[in-house]
Amino acid sequence: LDAGKKIAIENHGGDLQGRELKMLIEVAGKDFVGALIIAVIQNGMNLMNVESYTQKVVLGLVILGAVMLDLLRVRGWKLKLSAGE
């Protein structure tokens, strides 16, 4: 493929491999990728005719889960809920 010619390769979201996803996050930024994930989830729920209230609940749970995972990651996977322990 290194004959000096450029070719177009079609890639689908489901075809992303781990290293490609990691590179996408590093290049695009974590905030952009997070917003993209939320947009994809919301679009999927719209296509499935999920009620708007249910969509808000699901997106809230997704955001809450992301915050909890980040909290666990930052604290070294040790969850301490109060400072007195």
Side-chain angles (χ1 to χ4, degrees):
L1 289 176
D2 194 22
K5 298 189 180 198
K6 295 181 181 181
I7 59 171
I9 299 175
E10 185 175 342
N11 190 6
H12 301 282
D15 296 339
L16 285 177
Q17 296 177 355
R19 68 181 190 286
E20 294 171 334
L21 184 60
K22 183 178 178 185
M23 185 178 71
L24 174 68
I25 292 172
E26 290 173 354
V27 171
K30 294 178 182 178
D31 297 334
F32 176 75
V33 173
L36 184 66
I37 289 170
I38 287 189
V40 167
I41 291 171
Q42 193 168 17
N43 187 33
M45 287 190 293
N46 280 333
L47 291 174
M48 293 175 16
N49 292 325
V50 176
E51 294 182 21
S52 64
Y53 176 76
T54 307
Q55 287 183 21
K56 290 178 185 179
V57 170
V58 169
L59 288 176
L61 291 173
V62 168
I63 293 170
L64 183 63
V67 169
M68 290 299 294
L69 284 174
D70 186 56
L71 185 65
L72 289 171
R73 183 187 58 86
V74 167
R75 292 187 179 191
W77 299 98
K78 297 175 187 171
L79 183 60
K80 291 184 181 178
L81 297 177
S82 65
E85 293 180 2

